Amino acid sequence: MNFFNYRNGELCCEDVKVSAITGQTGTPVYVYSAKTLRRHYDVFRRAFVVTTPLICYSVKANSNIAVVSLFSSMGAGADIVSGGELFRAIRAGVRGERIVYSGVGKTTEEIRYALENKILMFNAESIEELDAIDSVAGSLGTIAPVSIRINPDIDPRTHPYISTGLRKNKFGIDIRHARDAYTEARARNNLRIVGLDMHIGSQLTDVSPIESALKRVLGLFTDLRHDGIDIQYIDIGGGLGIAYRDEQAAQPDGYAAAIERALKDFGGKLILEPGRVLVGNAGILVAKVLYRKQNGTRRFMIVDAGMNDLIRPSLYDAYHEIVPIIETRGRRFKQDVVGPICESGDFFAHRRDLPLLDRGQMIALMSAGAYGFSMSSNYNSRKRAAEVLVDGNNYYVIREREMDGDLTRGERIPPASNSGE
Ligand SMILES: *Cc1c(COP(=O)(O)O)cnc(C)c1O
């Protein structure tokens, strides 16, 4: 559920007309609903009735510090995957003790930065990484809290690019070698083993792969007990999907019930890393129609947002609902909604049934709150969009549209050389 609705034929976010926002910011612009974000967090948190998990919002889904801070003020921690995300989490007011750090390629500098900020734990993804964390911790004279990310070899039945828990994926340590990895970790002087971690993929619409993975992880938990390794945390990762179209997406209550059932014998603390489920349906991308044209039988609607602003359709063939900002009842035509970028992959929809809009009219790409702005780029030297957060009848520009100077910041033309002999 979200707070984007038509009122008197005009799309509103909560109590604000989208056209009022674009009048100030221009397009393309991302618009997020604070009420929706809060509601999603609340529903997710309340779904857990037996346990009180630590909910570490996955910063990469939507990294704006206003969004991270909103969740943080509701009690969330942060799941980060880079030093840059750690910087954002700290800027947003998340305390180190509520931050978990995932990712296969942490650099020594990032590990040091995280240790200095006393994060809750590293989710280590290889033995070599454990060595690196051990050695950085040693050099700082501290002990690093680590979990090991397990690759349970479970098919999450999602898009291959966002499937992460199969043996052929780069993530985690093969569950068949996990016990040895823990034994290795225990032998390091500057590591403290605190948990067990998994994250099998994203946009999961069915909880059964999570249940299967949990079963394997719990088997490992028992083995580790035998080995005298006691674990305080089980981190289940994120991955719960949302409805972009008509998917029957699993709901937080079913997800939570399955997890609590599976973990009933685990006395420790549960950690969750939701991203998309909290922010996906809380945001839209608004774009303006630039031109219409017809090539052969195809009708094109060319808009001022491109794949650099929202890459999901190009990258995953993802579906985003498209609606006009002003409700239109005219005849509908199959249209390709495309951006200005010089790539045929720059599209938002193919042969979508939409009314014919005039130049200057606006559309909203729905469910764009997750992996939208955070995956955007400057390709084609396009300035990244503005971001706006609506709360009731107020709205705030939480990121200004980039300016020309942002595009060349840090670039330099070397002095003319004389080597052109
Ligand atoms: C991306 C990611 C998440 C969040 O995934 P969602 O599908 O957005 O919930 C959580 N944990 C890890 C380790 C991730 O890489």
Side-chain angles (χ1 to χ4, degrees):
M1 118 142 241
N2 60 58
F3 294 90
F4 296 94
N5 294 297
Y6 284 105
R7 289 191 194 165
N8 303 320
E10 274 220 50
L11 188 68
C12 294
C13 175
E14 303 186 22
D15 301 327
V16 178
K17 284 182 187 169
V18 170
S19 62
I21 296 169
T22 57
Q24 184 194 332
T25 64
T27 51
V29 58
Y30 275 95
V31 178
Y32 311 123
S33 154
K35 223 180 197 174
T36 311
L37 294 170
R38 288 192 203 103
R39 189 189 147 83
H40 286 176
Y41 183 80
D42 228 37
V43 167
F44 191 85
R45 183 176 56 85
R46 285 171 198 276
F48 292 84
V49 291
V50 184
T51 45
T52 42
L54 172 60
I55 299 173
C56 291
Y57 167 60
S58 180
V59 172
K60 75 180 191 288
N62 185 322
S63 322
N64 191 293
I65 55 173
V67 172
V68 180
S69 148
L70 180 147
F71 290 131
S72 169
S73 69
M74 295 184 79
D79 163 47
I80 58 161
V81 293
S82 70
E85 286 192 352
L86 176 54
F87 174 72
R88 283 180 177 281
I90 293 166
R91 280 286 303 274
V94 186
R95 293 198 313 270
E97 71 218 43
R98 301 179 87 77
I99 296 176
V100 298
Y101 190 172
S102 311
V104 291
K106 306 174 188 81
T107 66
T108 348
E109 293 73 24
E110 288 175 318
I111 293 167
R112 183 174 308 117
Y113 183 31
L115 283 170
E116 284 164 356
N117 282 284
K118 303 198 178 345
I119 64 164
L120 179 63
M121 65 194 200
F122 292 88
N123 288 330
E125 306 216 16
S126 62
I127 304 280
E128 291 193 342
E129 183 190 331
L130 285 170
D131 286 336
I133 298 172
D134 177 57
S135 114
V136 178
S139 73
L140 292 176
T142 185
I143 303 287
V146 294
S147 286
I148 292 181
R149 176 162 173 183
I150 306 305
N151 182 320
D153 196 32
I154 293 286
D155 185 356
R157 298 197 288 271
T158 182
H159 191 285
Y161 291 2
I162 48 176
S163 151
T164 56
L166 281 167
R167 194 169 293 143
K168 66 176 181 197
N169 300 135
K170 69 179 174 181
F171 296 98
I173 291 181
D174 188 336
I175 191 152
R176 295 173 304 180
H177 308 309
R179 208 169 167 177
D180 295 338
Y182 273 95
T183 309
E184 291 255 0
R186 180 165 54 181
R188 304 292 187 279
N189 285 329
N190 309 299
L191 299 181
R192 181 162 50 87
I193 298 170
V194 294
L196 204 165
D197 170 53
M198 68 177 226
H199 170 71
I200 60 169
S202 195
Q203 185 51 16
L204 312 180
T205 48
D206 175 14
V207 296
S208 63
I210 294 185
E211 287 184 287
S212 318
L214 266 179
K215 214 170 274 167
R216 294 196 179 172
V217 159
L218 279 168
L220 175 62
F221 170 70
T222 314
D223 289 346
L224 293 176
R225 261 216 173 134
H226 276 284
D227 298 343
I229 298 174
D230 234 335
I231 265 149
Q232 285 167 263
Y233 300 102
I234 291 185
D235 181 342
I236 291 177
L240 188 57
I242 62 170
Y244 283 99
R245 193 176 191 170
D246 44 15
E247 303 94 328
Q248 289 301 310
Q251 298 297 306
D253 52 355
Y255 170 78
I259 292 170
E260 292 195 325
R261 227 177 7 251
L263 291 185
K264 62 181 181 318
D265 296 327
F266 170 64
K269 182 107 176 156
L270 171 63
I271 297 179
L272 300 153
E273 304 170 347
R276 187 189 314 268
V277 70
L278 299 181
V279 293
N281 285 328
I284 62 174
L285 172 61
V286 185
K288 189 171 72 187
V289 178
L290 295 176
Y291 302 108
R292 293 84 44 90
K293 72 173 179 185
Q294 220 170 325
N295 278 352
T297 56
R298 302 285 277 233
R299 250 179 218 282
F300 293 93
M301 179 194 293
I302 301 159
V303 300
D304 68 353
M307 65 190 283
N308 73 298
D309 298 301
L310 177 66
I311 203 175
R312 300 190 63 260
S314 311
L315 189 59
Y316 312 124
D317 217 8
Y319 181 96
H320 285 272
E321 191 187 347
I322 298 176
V323 301
I325 297 300
I326 309 290
E327 230 170 354
T328 330
R329 302 204 192 284
R331 193 175 150 204
R332 299 169 84 88
F333 294 86
K334 294 241 183 288
Q335 302 175 54
D336 283 13
V337 181
V338 301
I341 286 182
C342 304
E343 302 269 346
S344 293
D346 178 29
F347 67 91
F348 294 122
H350 286 135
R351 297 182 165 281
R352 186 72 63 85
D353 230 9
L354 286 167
L356 279 186
L357 299 182
D358 293 327
R359 293 184 61 192
Q361 287 193 292
M362 290 181 290
I363 57 166
L365 292 138
M366 306 304 288
S367 307
Y371 306 104
F373 188 92
S374 64
M375 289 182 100
S376 68
S377 77
N378 290 118
Y379 186 42
N380 273 210
S381 287
R382 288 168 49 79
K383 289 156 272 191
R384 278 179 297 173
E387 291 177 287
V388 166
L389 182 66
V390 173
D391 197 356
N393 46 33
N394 296 316
Y395 68 91
Y396 310 91
V397 177
I398 56 171
R399 191 180 210 275
E400 284 174 25
R401 180 180 313 289
E402 288 183 339
M403 296 190 284
D404 284 328
D406 294 322
L407 291 174
T408 50
R409 188 154 40 100
E411 292 183 21
R412 275 183 204 100
I413 300 171
S417 70
N418 294 321
S419 62
E421 214 34 50

